């Protein structure tokens, strides 16, 4: 399911699965959210299935948001399949404090 929730100060993109089969829909939703006013929140609370295309999309969105001076956040710290994927992909090997804060909200990654 792909949905987008818009409030006055934040655009939220909610995810249940994020794989190569639906990543173009997510790219469009995140691009739309980046064009709106306020911060962007990617809701990963219901995330069940994820692949590398999601990591690539989120990293590109972080770069885009940074260039626009726009806040972008995850709704929850990465756990389960997303935390496993971050570890397996090597994304955490050279993660800096900003990466750690983004993906894990300052909590210790497992």
């Amino acid at each position: 399911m792909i949905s987008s929730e818009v409030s006055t100060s934040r655009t939220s993109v909610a995810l249940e699965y994020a794989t190569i089969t639906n990543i173009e829909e997510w790219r469009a939703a995140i691009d739309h959210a980046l064009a709106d006013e306020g911060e962007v929140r990617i809701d990963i609370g219901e995330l069940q299935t994820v692949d590398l295309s999601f990591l690539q999309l989120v990293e590109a969105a972080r770069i885009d948001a940074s260039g626009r001076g726009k806040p972008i956040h995850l709704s929850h710290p990465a756990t389960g399949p997303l935390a496993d994927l971050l570890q397996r992909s090597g994304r955490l090997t050279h993660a800096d404090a900003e990466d750690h804060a983004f993906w894990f909200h300052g909590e210790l990654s497992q």
Side-chain angles (χ1 to χ4, degrees):
M1 176 177 107
I2 296 176
S3 65
S4 177
E5 169 191 321
V6 179
S7 66
T8 57
S9 64
R10 172 176 52 209
T11 300
S12 177
V13 179
L15 303 173
E16 286 182 21
Y17 67 98
T19 65
I20 193 70
T21 59
N22 71 333
I23 207 67
E24 177 56 29
E25 294 170 71
W26 286 116
R27 185 208 52 80
I30 290 173
D31 283 352
H32 177 74
L34 286 167
D36 286 345
E37 293 295 320
E39 71 179 29
V40 175
R41 183 176 61 102
I42 301 172
D43 188 348
I44 60 168
E46 300 297 320
L47 190 62
Q48 298 171 13
T49 305
V50 62
D51 68 15
L52 286 173
S53 64
F54 176 70
L55 294 184
Q56 293 170 328
L57 174 65
V58 171
E59 288 301 325
R62 287 178 67 194
I63 291 167
D64 190 8
S66 176
R68 296 176 191 221
K70 186 175 190 86
I72 186 169
H73 309 281
L74 297 180
S75 61
H76 302 86
T79 59
L82 181 54
D84 293 344
L85 180 61
L86 286 162
Q87 185 65 44
R88 285 192 326 268
S89 70
R91 183 69 187 93
L92 302 178
T93 303
H94 300 289
D96 60 19
E98 186 177 330
D99 292 331
H100 189 76
F102 178 81
W103 291 108
F104 298 101
H105 299 187
E107 296 179 13
L108 291 176
S109 59
Q110 310 240 339

